[in-house]
Amino acid sequence: MSNLKQRIIKFQIKGSNGFYLDDLGHTSTTQARAQAKEDACTTKKATSKLAIDLEIEKNAQVATTTATLQLTGLTIEQLNPLTSEFNRFNYDYNQKHPSIQDWAATIDIQVGYDSVIQPIFSGDVVIAELRKGPPDLMLQLTAMSNYFARSQFDFVQLEASLTFEAFANKVGEFLKVEKVICQTDYNNQVITNAGIGQATGDQLLVELNLMFYPFVTAWIDNKTLYVMQLDTYHLDAEQGSPVLINEFLQIPQYTERGASFEVMYDPRITVAKQVRLQSDLNPYPFNGQSFVLYLCKYALSTRNNQFKIQCEAQL
C-alpha cells in the first residue's frame, strides 16, 4: 500500500439513550445524514477535525476483540455523556451487577485508504477516560466485541443432543452476533447435554472453546462468531490463494510457532487468513512458506505516522 494515500478512520457511537457521536463531530443522526447527503453531491468530502489514534488486538485464542480509541479535539459537550457513564467506577459496579445497566453504547469503526474503507471493529463501549485536559482534550475509549451480550445472564435450554455446529449456532444466537462461521472437522459430531441451565454468554464461549481444546478455538470479531481449527485456512476470496506479502516494515522473524512480521495496513490481512511470505532480507526459510495468522495488532492514526499491523502466524 502506498503511504501517499489518504488514511481514513471513521467511527460511529450510538447510545441506547439517543446519544450519537461520529468522527466528524456530529452529535445527532440528523446531522450525519445531512453531511452524507452533502458529500454525495460533491467530490470534496468532509474530513474529521479530530485526531484519531486506534489500537485493535484480534487474537484467535482470546474470545473477544478489544479496541482502544483516542480522540483529541472533542468539546466538553461531546465528552461528558461518555465519561459520566462509562467510567471505572461504573465499569466495576456493572461487573458485579450485570443486570443493572443504565444505558449502553455501541461503536462501529471503519478503516481504509482514500474512499475505500471497510469495517474493522464493532463492539460495546466499556470505559471512557479523560487522558488529557484543556485546551486539547483527549478521550480514550475502550471497547470490546459483544461485551454486554457476553455478560448477560439468562436461562439456556438446548436439545438433549445436537451437533457441534448446531451448538455453535445456538451460542452465536445467544451472543446476538450477525453471523457464525464454524469450520472444523468436528461440525457433525453429536454433543450430549451441551449446556442446560443458567449461563452467561462468556460461560457458553468457554464451553465452546473447551469441547475440542486445543484443536478448536472460538472468538468474536466484527459481529461474527468464528469457531475454527487454526490449521483451517481462509483463502483470499478474489484470488483463491494465500495472500502474498512481500513488503515489510521490519525484517520478518521466525518464532516458536511460526513467523512474526510487521506491515502497512492491508484489509486482506486479518486473523485466520492464510498468507505467504516473500522476504528479500530474510529469504530462507520464509520464501514460499505459507502461514495462518492467529494474532493481529493494529496501530492506526490519522495524524501520526503509524498505520500498521503487527502479525503473528503459525505454520
Side-chain angles (χ1 to χ4, degrees), residues 5 71 78 123 174 196 228 254:
K5 294 182 178 180
L71 306 174
Q78 294 167 333
F174 186 91
I196 300 176
M228 300 183 65
Y254 244 120

Side-chain angles (χ1 to χ4, degrees), residues 10-14 54 56 58 63-67 105-111 118-126 142-148 150 175-178 220-225:
K10 299 184 72 66
F11 70 87
Q12 284 186 338
I13 302 172
K14 298 179 181 178
L54 173 64
I56 301 175
K58 300 187 179 189
T64 186
T65 300
T66 302
T106 60
I107 182 169
D108 295 294
I109 305 175
Q110 295 178 305
V111 171
Q118 293 185 352
I120 192 174
F121 178 84
S122 180
D124 300 312
V125 176
V126 178
T142 301
M144 297 181 183
S145 54
N146 292 67
Y147 173 77
F148 294 113
R150 289 188 294 106
L175 292 170
K176 298 180 176 63
V177 297
E178 294 183 356
I220 302 174
D221 178 32
N222 208 19
K223 300 180 182 179
T224 300
L225 171 63

